[in-house]
Amino acid sequence: MKQRIITGVVAAALFLPIVYYSGIPLVLLTYFLATIGLYELYKMKNLSIFSGHGLLSVLFLWALLFPEKYKHVLDTFYYSKTELCIVFILLLLAYTVITKNRFTFEDVSFSILSALYVGIGFYFFFETRVEGGLVYILYSLFMIWATDSGAYFIGKALGKRKLWPEISPNKTVEGSIGGVVCAVIVAVLFVLFTDIKGSIIGITVVLSVFGQIGDLVESAFKRHFNVKDSGKILPGHGGILDRFDSLLFVWPLLHFFHLW
């Protein structure tokens, strides 16, 4: 627990100032976190990201992450982000031929879906900061922290019915509901003390539920690949995906609801 707290404090001290400043430092942070997330997925499947197909996957991810704010840079080359992504997908498929099918169609599918999973979530992390402002990033962070903490402590105290034992044996229905309640409390505080819209309270229920689904998705990955944590970059916490799994679902939904 001590190691977990120390890591959390140090990570927050590095993460939050960059989020506050935004701009190019936040773009670089987004690319760094997403690339580590893709590396963790590759490692789970025992694929090397330091390879030809790994490089193509990273480039595909980087194309996905390219911020809307800087799209004029691509316009000067007469290419859109979508066109670049298509090129990298075709190159990944061609790589199956180059390797004589040692890198298979299933590996291509895994690489593309992994990049989409990580890339879409972190792309909307940056877009949320740019379009919604700092308050929506803070809201998403505190809301998910409240969901996770509420689910853990309430589940430990009152949990009896298993939520999804095949995927995550320790999660309970009572804990899940408790997590949603704690998230709503955070939403109420944000409505009272910030200029965030009042409709966020109802939407928070949806976001909290989908945040928990994001957590279960990551648990399903780890169970499928028989690993305890997605990585070891954060001592006491695991990997980047272990910390951002819920938020990868929440940030795109914030845009879906057009809250700002």
Side-chain angles (χ1 to χ4, degrees):
M1 181 59 75
K2 182 180 178 181
Q3 178 67 73
R4 189 179 181 89
I5 293 172
I6 292 172
T7 300
V9 170
V10 172
L14 295 172
F15 178 76
L16 292 177
I18 296 174
V19 173
Y20 175 79
Y21 185 80
S22 192
I24 295 298
L26 185 59
V27 173
L28 296 176
L29 176 64
T30 303
Y31 270 73
F32 172 74
L33 293 174
T35 304
I36 295 299
L38 182 62
Y39 166 78
E40 290 174 353
L41 285 168
Y42 252 61
K43 191 173 181 181
M44 284 188 210
K45 191 170 168 57
N46 291 320
L47 290 174
S48 173
I49 207 166
F50 303 104
S51 60
H53 58 80
L55 175 62
L56 290 173
S57 299
V58 169
L59 292 175
F60 174 47
L61 171 67
W62 288 359
L64 280 171
L65 289 171
F66 203 84
E68 184 68 20
K69 182 178 180 180
Y70 301 106
K71 68 176 244 175
H72 62 276
V73 176
L74 292 179
D75 292 340
T76 60
F77 296 99
Y78 304 102
Y79 289 105
S80 69
K81 185 161 80 169
T82 300
E83 289 169 334
L84 285 177
C85 288
I86 290 171
V87 167
F88 290 125
I89 290 173
L90 293 177
L91 289 173
L92 278 167
L93 288 167
Y95 200 78
T96 63
V97 177
I98 295 171
T99 62
K100 298 179 181 179
N101 225 24
R102 289 191 301 276
F103 183 71
T104 66
F105 183 78
E106 287 79 6
D107 293 330
V108 173
S109 302
F110 174 82
S111 299
I112 292 171
L113 188 56
S114 294
L116 286 170
Y117 164 57
V118 175
I120 290 172
F122 277 111
Y123 169 79
F124 282 108
F125 160 59
F126 182 79
E127 293 300 314
T128 297
R129 176 63 182 91
V130 171
E131 295 183 26
L134 182 62
V135 67
Y136 281 95
I137 288 291
L138 294 177
Y139 157 74
S140 64
L141 293 173
F142 281 104
M143 185 270 294
I144 285 301
W145 291 339
T147 297
D148 290 346
S149 299
Y152 177 78
F153 288 110
I154 293 174
K156 205 168 180 75
L158 304 174
K160 293 181 180 179
R161 290 171 290 180
K162 296 295 183 182
L163 178 65
W164 215 298
E166 297 85 358
I167 300 298
S168 187
N170 295 325
K171 287 183 171 58
T172 63
V173 173
E174 294 82 3
S176 178
I177 295 171
V180 173
V181 171
C182 291
V184 170
I185 293 172
V186 166
V188 170
L189 293 174
F190 268 83
V191 169
L192 291 174
F193 297 106
T194 71
D195 59 354
I196 212 164
K197 295 178 181 178
S199 60
I200 197 72
I201 296 174
I203 290 171
T204 295
V205 175
V206 177
L207 295 178
S208 180
V209 169
F210 270 87
Q212 293 184 59
I213 291 173
D215 188 7
L216 288 169
V217 167
E218 180 63 17
S219 295
F221 289 164
K222 291 187 289 188
R223 186 162 288 272
H224 176 73
F225 292 115
N226 195 30
V227 296
K228 183 179 183 296
D229 295 313
S230 65
K232 299 179 180 178
I233 194 171
L234 299 170
H237 291 264
I240 292 299
L241 294 180
D242 291 313
R243 290 302 89 207
F244 287 91
D245 48 9
S246 298
L247 290 161
L248 293 179
F249 274 58
V250 166
W251 285 323
L253 282 175
L254 279 174
H255 274 254
F256 176 81
F257 287 121
H258 297 293
L259 298 178
W260 41 83

